[in-house]
Amino acid sequence: MKGIVFNVRRNLRLPKLSKPKISLKEFVSKKGAEVFLILTFLFGLIIGAMSSRSADTELIERLDFLFSTNLHTRAELSSFEIFVSCFGSDFIFLLAVFLMGLSVWGSITLPFVILFKGFSVGLSSALIFSLYRASGIGFYILVLLPGIVMFLLALIYYSKESFSLSMRYIRLSIFGSVKEPYLSKYLKRFFIRSLMALLLTAGSALLDMLLWILFAHMFDF
């Protein structure tokens, strides 16, 4: 009986409970671009919030197509017009990321797109908070923030793919096809991710429209 128990214990291999160690090099290669883009966005967010103190009416009107700060004007729009407005402003950033992914210089200029997006979010949120006080804060959190977060997640993920593809173009231009023998495979994946990002952008605009219909009337501006 002891021999049977001993053989069972010897043959039974328990799974290791220790977590696999990830080196700093592996983390940078897998998540480095995403972390860099997130930090770039946060930096732009801070700059935008600080710039709201000196922003004049002319600047706000010029950038109104990228973010909504005039809630009185938006309240006069129909549901479809709200959807088109949200989708159109986000699509500009999406198109810029798409074109930069197909360019050798995209990896250099792409962070500036993310920086400007962070700037626009920081500036618009700070202006809404300062103009409408408590109502503006509640409105921003309940109505605007969910769609913004959804689009930002899609934009950061898509920008990482664009950054990676642009770097492959750089290696291709320097080293030739030896370093990038399967570029067509990455191009196909990039186009699929582009479609996914486009659908998520449309979903964030739809979410923004629905939240506006459901909750905008609860706030008095």
Side-chain angles (χ1 to χ4, degrees):
M1 183 68 180
K2 291 183 179 180
I4 296 174
V5 173
F6 178 77
N7 290 331
V8 170
R9 289 181 177 178
R10 185 179 61 183
N11 295 328
L12 180 62
R13 295 182 180 180
L14 297 176
K16 295 182 179 180
L17 299 178
S18 59
K19 296 181 180 180
K21 296 181 179 179
I22 300 177
S23 64
L24 179 61
K25 183 178 180 180
E26 291 176 344
F27 177 80
V28 171
S29 63
K30 292 181 179 180
K31 301 294 182 179
E34 293 178 70
V35 173
F36 172 70
L37 292 172
I38 292 173
L39 293 177
T40 302
F41 170 80
L42 293 176
F43 181 64
L45 186 74
I46 296 173
I47 295 177
M50 295 176 61
S51 301
S52 64
R53 300 177 182 177
S54 57
D56 55 6
T57 306
E58 184 178 356
L59 176 62
I60 296 173
E61 290 178 353
R62 288 181 179 179
L63 298 178
D64 189 57
F65 71 98
L66 293 177
F67 48 86
S68 298
T69 55
N70 192 339
L71 302 183
H72 296 288
T73 302
R74 192 178 185 185
E76 299 175 356
L77 300 177
S78 65
S79 301
F80 179 73
E81 288 174 333
I82 293 174
F83 173 81
V84 172
S85 176
C86 297
F87 180 78
S89 60
D90 291 339
F91 180 76
I92 293 175
F93 289 96
L94 207 67
L95 179 61
V97 173
F98 173 78
L99 295 176
M100 290 176 184
L102 302 176
S103 170
V104 175
W105 303 103
S107 58
I108 300 174
T109 56
L110 184 60
F112 292 98
V113 176
I114 305 300
L115 182 70
F116 184 71
K117 180 59 181 177
F119 175 84
S120 67
V121 172
L123 180 61
S124 61
S125 58
L127 286 174
I128 290 176
F129 295 165
S130 62
L131 290 174
Y132 305 105
R133 305 298 178 181
S135 295
I137 296 175
F139 176 83
Y140 190 87
I141 294 175
L142 185 60
V143 178
L144 298 181
L145 188 60
I148 291 174
V149 171
M150 182 177 178
F151 173 70
L152 288 177
L153 292 176
L155 182 66
I156 295 296
Y157 180 75
Y158 184 51
S159 297
K160 183 205 72 170
E161 295 293 327
S162 178
F163 184 86
S164 176
L165 182 61
S166 178
M167 290 298 297
R168 294 185 185 281
Y169 275 112
I170 292 177
R171 289 194 291 266
L172 181 63
S173 62
I174 296 176
F175 301 105
S177 59
V178 177
K179 292 291 182 178
E180 291 296 337
Y182 305 110
L183 184 61
S184 59
K185 179 182 70 174
Y186 294 107
L187 273 172
K188 181 179 179 180
R189 187 179 72 176
F190 179 71
F191 289 135
I192 294 175
R193 301 290 167 81
S194 300
L195 179 60
M196 293 173 58
L198 186 64
L199 293 176
L200 288 174
T201 301
S204 67
L206 182 62
L207 177 62
D208 190 283
M209 181 193 73
L210 292 176
L211 291 176
W212 177 276
I213 295 173
L214 293 175
F215 302 111
H217 64 277
M218 298 171 55
F219 300 91
D220 185 19
F221 301 109

